[in-house]
Amino acid sequence: MTLHIENFGKIKNADIELNGLTVVAGRNDTGKSTIGKALFAIVKSISEYPELYERLKQNTISSAIQSLCFDAINEKSITGDPDLFNFSQEIRNFLLQGNGHIPPAAYKFIEQLEDFYKKNSLQETSFFKRVATLKAFINSDATAEEKIKNIIVTIFGRSFISEINNSCHLDATARLSYKKEDITIADVSFKSNAVGKVLFEEKNKAFGFADATFIDTPLYLDVAFESKLYFGHDIKLKLEAAKEKISEQAFSVVSDEIAKVLNGASFVINPNGIHEWVYKVSPTADLLHISNIASGSKSFGILDILVKSGILKKDSILVLDEPENHLHPEWQLKYAEILALMAREGYYILLTSHSPFFLQALKLYADKYGVLENKTHFYLAEKINDSSNYSTIKDVTDNTEEIFSNLSAPLDSLFMEAWNNG
């Protein structure tokens, strides 16, 4: 699988191979996270087609019917019809429960509203026109292009807060191309933060990843931690779904290694009637609330939960944004080893990092587990030395020393200063 990027955010140009363990290294503000989010958003847009469009349409219809019901309650012409008036109250109360289901009675209400206004010759009123517009939308059938474009607008908009193009080059056309060898799965352009041309054939969907998961913080395990970004909402839903699927007896070499790191402790469902994740240090210890657990432990915990529950599958891709941030040096080594082990077991991973320590460990363990040669790619993100506000992404798989010299330079300078001061 490959991802081609042009003029997207800070990325001037990039061609990223995705066939095992993909590592994007670089200093802060070079566009590393943009690559991860772009990959998540394009894979998610394709994997959610066409179901997300149907959910979005249902949400729009539900909101519109709620609004009509509320206004109908205050509409003078309708208050004179007790049955219609009471019907509107019943429908609104049901929809306000927010269970995502629109009952057949709600559509019947639309029909009765339309009939009422026609019967009383009130077709020219703005209220009747709203009813007619909604009915037309309910009966409309979008094309495949309209559906995928709507999905892309939603997922990219909520992943990038609608800031997609480079802020210094809003008029430049940005492009993402997602391919399996010569087969184009999706090709999308953006201009002035708006979706432009979309190339997508549903028959090619099967050639792409089945799903994408993006993790930029272990705090998603905390009940109180919320995110309005699409990838944050996605991982929260997955951790919730994992509660019903996780098995303590499920064995994998990945979970076995994580258990060693945590000295046998694990993240489990609270058995005391509160359906939430808790931390169990040992079989006889009291359960601990997630908010009292170290972020580093939660970093391993999220991986363990996703693997044990089967939420993270081998035909999907896991995107990790600077996962070393919450880990001390020893655990950075262990986390790197577990990722290399996951690559050996058949998982697809893209991660970003600015830690030479962590990156050295990734290379060493990728070699140890036999995935360095054919299933690991290293890239270096660097700013272009001009005023363009762009970065380039260079494939340094065959010369990873470029990464280490780039990221280790400040430490070398510090040692030199210490030497001179000594």
Side-chain angles (χ1 to χ4, degrees):
M1 220 81 69
T2 60
L3 180 68
H4 174 73
I5 306 174
E6 292 177 23
N7 302 327
F8 191 98
K10 292 190 72 70
I11 308 302
K12 181 63 178 176
N13 191 280
D15 287 288
I16 310 293
E17 289 281 344
L18 306 160
N19 67 341
L21 180 61
T22 302
V23 182
V24 182
R27 300 177 183 180
N28 286 336
D29 196 34
T30 54
K32 303 187 305 297
S33 297
T34 297
I35 294 173
K37 288 195 285 186
L39 174 62
F40 166 84
I42 193 69
V43 171
K44 201 70 179 174
S45 294
I46 303 307
S47 67
E48 294 258 11
Y49 173 89
E51 292 81 10
L52 179 57
Y53 173 81
E54 301 303 333
R55 295 200 302 272
L56 291 170
K57 183 176 180 179
Q58 289 298 297
N59 290 341
T60 300
I61 292 171
S62 179
S63 296
I65 294 176
Q66 286 182 50
S67 178
L68 281 175
C69 288
F70 178 78
D71 292 341
I73 294 170
N74 300 293
E75 184 75 15
K76 290 182 179 180
S77 57
I78 294 176
T79 54
D81 187 323
D83 291 338
L84 190 56
F85 178 81
N86 293 333
F87 196 16
S88 65
Q89 287 183 309
E90 292 174 12
I91 296 300
R92 183 167 186 267
N93 288 336
F94 181 89
L95 294 175
L96 283 173
Q97 296 175 17
N99 59 13
H101 174 64
I102 302 176
Y107 296 105
K108 183 179 179 181
F109 170 70
I110 298 298
E111 296 288 345
Q112 289 190 9
L113 270 181
E114 186 177 46
D115 292 343
F116 175 85
Y117 272 79
K118 286 180 178 179
K119 180 180 177 181
N120 291 278
S121 302
L122 297 170
Q123 293 97 319
E124 296 304 314
T125 64
S126 60
F127 193 82
F128 175 81
K129 291 176 181 178
R130 284 171 59 195
V131 174
T133 299
L134 175 57
K135 185 178 178 183
F137 178 69
I138 291 171
N139 295 326
S140 65
D141 185 19
T143 65
E145 182 178 353
E146 290 170 336
K147 290 179 180 179
I148 190 62
K149 193 167 186 177
N150 193 290
I151 291 171
I152 289 171
V153 167
T154 299
I155 294 180
F156 276 83
R158 286 184 57 192
S159 295
F160 290 92
I161 319 177
S162 299
E163 296 176 355
I164 294 169
N165 289 83
N166 189 301
S167 60
C168 297
H169 307 278
L170 288 177
D171 290 336
T173 300
R175 179 173 165 239
L176 288 179
S177 183
Y178 171 42
K179 290 186 173 184
K180 171 72 172 179
E181 298 176 349
D182 294 331
I183 299 170
T184 297
I185 301 166
D187 196 304
V188 187
S189 66
F190 304 83
K191 193 170 184 178
S192 299
N193 294 323
V195 178
K197 185 178 179 181
V198 176
L199 177 63
F200 168 70
E201 291 187 55
E202 188 173 0
K203 67 179 182 180
N204 292 341
K205 176 180 175 179
F207 292 101
F209 292 113
D211 189 24
T213 301
F214 183 100
I215 304 174
D216 59 340
T217 173
L219 298 181
Y220 290 122
L221 268 174
D222 293 44
V223 174
F225 186 84
E226 294 293 339
S227 174
K228 293 183 179 180
L229 299 174
Y230 198 88
F231 50 82
H233 176 69
D234 177 72
I235 186 62
K236 291 290 281 189
L237 288 177
K238 285 173 176 171
L239 290 172
E240 188 65 28
K243 294 175 182 178
E244 309 298 331
K245 298 182 178 182
I246 197 163
S247 170
E248 290 301 303
Q249 286 71 46
F251 173 80
S252 76
V253 291
V254 176
S255 292
D256 190 44
E257 285 300 314
I258 292 175
K260 292 177 185 176
V261 174
L262 299 178
N263 293 318
S266 61
F267 292 82
V268 299
I269 304 300
N270 192 332
N272 300 323
I274 304 173
H275 202 58
E276 63 183 19
W277 293 107
V278 291
Y279 193 63
K280 191 175 183 180
V281 176
S282 71
T284 59
D286 285 346
L287 299 175
L288 295 174
H289 194 277
I290 289 293
S291 63
N292 293 321
I293 305 306
S295 297
S297 298
K298 285 184 273 200
S299 295
F300 288 98
I302 287 183
L303 279 185
D304 195 33
I305 289 168
L306 292 176
V307 170
K308 277 184 177 177
S309 63
I311 297 288
L312 184 62
K313 301 184 185 300
K314 294 180 182 179
D315 59 354
S316 303
I317 189 158
L318 172 65
V319 182
L320 300 167
D321 190 47
E322 298 177 352
E324 76 277 8
N325 285 349
H326 296 273
L327 305 171
H328 66 274
E330 182 183 353
W331 275 13
Q332 285 190 32
L333 295 181
K334 294 306 298 182
Y335 201 91
E337 182 174 11
I338 286 168
L339 294 181
L341 185 58
M342 290 178 69
R344 189 195 72 179
E345 294 298 301
Y347 291 96
Y348 290 86
I349 303 164
L350 179 140
L351 68 92
T352 66
S353 175
H354 46 39
S355 167
F357 188 82
F358 182 57
L359 292 162
Q360 285 277 17
L362 282 167
K363 183 178 180 182
L364 185 150
Y365 287 116
D367 189 26
K368 174 182 176 180
Y369 288 109
V371 296
L372 181 63
E373 188 75 19
N374 298 312
K375 296 186 69 177
T376 302
H377 290 270
F378 287 89
Y379 297 88
L380 177 61
E382 291 184 292
K383 286 186 177 181
I384 297 174
N385 294 320
D386 57 23
S387 59
S388 68
N389 194 37
Y390 279 124
S391 294
T392 59
I393 309 299
K394 182 180 180 182
D395 188 341
V396 293
T397 302
D398 296 327
N399 185 22
T400 53
E401 187 56 37
E402 286 194 48
I403 290 177
F404 305 122
S405 61
N406 180 285
L407 296 178
S408 299
L411 192 58
D412 293 340
S413 298
L414 183 64
F415 287 149
M416 182 60 69
E417 184 172 345
W419 175 268
N420 291 335
N421 291 339

